[in-house]
Amino acid sequence: SPSLHHLEINNMHFHEETFVQIANAFRQNKVLKSFNITLPWEFYDPALMLRSALQGSTNLRALTMRRFRIEVDTLVDALRNGVCRADCSLQEIDLEMKCFTSEDECSTTEDEDDDCSKEVFPKLDSSPPITPAPTTVPNKSVETLSLLLSLQPLPEVVKVVEMFQNLVHLDISGGNFTDLVALDGLLLTEKSPLERLIMYFCNIEAQPMETFARKLPLMKRLKVLVVGSNPFLTSPSCVTALKDSLWRNHSLEIVCLGGKLPNSIASRPDDGEWRDTQFLYDAPPLTNQEMLPLHLNRAGRGPLQVQLSHHLPLNLLPLILERAARLEYCAYCDISANRTMEDRKRKDVVFWLLRNLILIA
């Protein structure tokens, strides 16, 4: 169909041959721009659909696949063959999958069958071979990646993330991250364009988060950090260390430590038990005083700090002060309740900038 640009399939039970036919049809389609499929966890082979969608539809811009079950290495191979090529057109990828390793699969089936080489999904003869992908190159087209790999450690998640060079928005919620060191390559390099990082419900403990907080001053591009519903929020010292480090970061503008994910920064609508509004771990929103460094960054503290050892361009100053004068207190803070529009303005941001300009002079 030359006019079909968007296809969405939700919670339908196909016969397996029908699923294969849909996957095969992708290799014929050259006009589809958006594909969204949500199916029951256990019944279908996601690798077949993923390879077909990525390699067949040359004009595909957005791909969403949810509620599939797949082996980690199989997912990595399917994505590498589909997106690591120069002619990839994808801009957004949203994957929600129950992943497992080959060892996991063996451990769950050894009581039923001693043969751990048993295939999870049968191979059907009706499925034609996948056309080999061109020589793999780092992907430069995808800017938004939502990768919800249930309870997977961060190194397994990074196997997928490192394929993409130009990620701006990254959601890796729902994992099991005992260490955040693997994120250094994404956040601490000058060439990384990553601006938004979401790590909800990732079982992040206090020690790795404190280490992460100490690196915040080195993160030059990150603007949004969402780390709600993690165990470290029960550690007052860790939360305090994270808040204190915000003063030494000149890029962050939004930090979310708890509560329901704001729609303004959500990479996808609420879906699934891990996005329930009642979280096991939570923290109160940042107070207005704690948000001051974030508002300073939004006003333009970063360019101001860069000019500390140089002459500040006079045409830059009015722009910074004008932007600072428009900033308001947060809507959910008591200080903004029953106040006029003018009273809700954060005059302390303008005062801080002016005072520091005087000190610089």
Side-chain angles (χ1 to χ4, degrees):
S1 173
S3 61
L4 182 63
H5 296 296
H6 176 75
L7 176 61
E8 184 169 345
I9 302 173
N10 287 324
N11 297 315
M12 299 180 66
H13 290 268
F14 296 114
H15 192 275
E16 198 165 14
E17 281 78 4
T18 304
F19 181 82
V20 173
Q21 290 174 356
I22 296 174
N24 292 342
F26 270 111
R27 299 165 191 162
Q28 314 286 327
N29 186 289
K30 303 301 179 184
V31 297
L32 194 66
K33 295 183 178 180
S34 175
F35 178 50
N36 184 327
I37 182 169
T38 303
L39 293 177
W41 292 113
E42 297 88 359
F43 304 113
Y44 305 97
D45 181 2
L48 173 63
M49 183 66 72
L50 191 59
R51 291 192 184 100
S52 299
L54 292 174
Q55 296 186 19
S57 300
T58 55
N59 287 319
L60 197 63
R61 299 291 186 270
L63 173 66
T64 299
M65 292 183 64
R66 298 177 186 164
R67 311 228 167 164
F68 285 91
R69 185 169 178 268
I70 190 171
E71 187 178 356
V72 175
D73 291 340
T74 303
L75 173 63
V76 171
D77 290 341
L79 282 172
R80 182 179 291 113
N81 291 332
V83 302
C84 294
R85 52 185 195 174
D87 62 344
C88 180
S89 60
L90 270 171
Q91 298 173 355
E92 300 180 16
I93 298 179
D94 185 348
L95 302 177
E96 178 187 353
M97 299 190 177
K98 282 186 177 179
C99 289
F100 60 92
T101 63
S102 57
E103 291 80 5
D104 295 334
E105 187 64 19
C106 289
S107 63
T108 57
T109 59
E110 62 182 357
D111 293 336
E112 302 173 3
D113 190 348
D114 292 334
D115 184 9
C116 290
S117 63
K118 179 182 178 181
E119 295 286 351
V120 179
F121 301 101
K123 301 297 182 181
L124 301 184
D125 295 336
S126 57
S127 175
I130 300 292
T131 303
T135 303
T136 58
V137 296
N139 179 277
K140 297 182 179 180
S141 64
V142 176
E143 295 184 352
T144 301
L145 176 62
S146 179
L147 191 64
L148 281 62
L149 305 184
S150 179
L151 299 178
Q152 288 300 303
L154 185 58
E156 297 295 328
V157 176
V158 171
K159 285 181 181 179
V160 176
V161 176
E162 63 186 5
M163 301 179 194
F164 305 93
Q165 278 193 344
N166 293 329
L167 284 180
V168 178
H169 310 302
L170 176 62
D171 184 350
I172 49 176
S173 301
N176 183 22
F177 302 164
T178 58
D179 195 333
L180 301 178
V181 175
L183 291 175
D184 289 356
L186 297 173
L187 299 172
L188 302 183
T189 58
E190 292 290 341
K191 296 182 179 180
S192 173
L194 191 65
E195 295 182 359
R196 180 176 65 184
L197 176 62
I198 302 177
M199 296 189 294
Y200 253 40
F201 213 72
C202 288
N203 199 29
I204 303 174
E205 298 286 351
Q207 183 175 356
M209 179 49 67
E210 288 184 12
T211 303
F212 181 84
R214 288 195 293 269
K215 299 175 183 177
L216 280 180
L218 304 176
M219 301 176 190
K220 306 300 184 182
R221 296 178 179 268
L222 192 65
K223 294 183 178 181
V224 178
L225 176 64
V226 182
V227 287
S229 201
N230 284 291
F232 80 86
L233 294 169
T234 61
S235 170
S237 61
C238 180
V239 174
T240 300
L242 179 60
K243 293 176 180 178
D244 291 344
S245 66
L246 297 180
W247 280 101
R248 299 187 298 275
N249 176 281
H250 298 151
S251 64
L252 278 170
E253 298 179 3
I254 297 176
V255 173
C256 183
L257 299 182
K260 188 175 174 64
L261 191 64
N263 290 332
S264 60
I265 59 173
S267 62
R268 49 177 289 177
D270 289 350
D271 183 20
E273 59 183 8
W274 67 273
R275 277 186 185 267
D276 194 353
T277 56
Q278 301 298 322
F279 291 112
L280 178 62
Y281 306 105
D282 208 348
L286 297 176
T287 65
N288 275 288
Q289 181 59 32
E290 292 168 342
M291 291 191 67
L292 179 57
L294 303 177
H295 283 167
L296 288 171
N297 292 343
R298 189 177 299 181
R301 179 170 64 137
L304 183 61
Q305 294 294 126
V306 171
Q307 298 296 333
L308 283 175
S309 58
H310 306 280
H311 294 293
L312 183 68
L314 294 179
N315 61 342
L316 183 62
L317 180 58
L319 297 176
I320 294 178
L321 295 178
E322 181 183 3
R323 182 167 180 172
R326 293 198 299 265
L327 294 176
E328 298 181 8
Y329 288 105
C330 296
Y332 53 76
C333 294
D334 294 338
I335 198 171
S336 66
N338 301 321
R339 298 240 179 169
T340 64
M341 184 65 70
E342 186 61 29
D343 289 337
R344 289 202 296 266
K345 301 294 184 181
R346 289 213 66 159
K347 298 182 178 65
D348 55 344
V349 175
V350 179
F351 173 77
W352 190 97
L353 292 173
L354 287 174
R355 187 185 69 172
N356 280 270
L357 282 173
I358 294 174
L359 293 177
I360 294 171

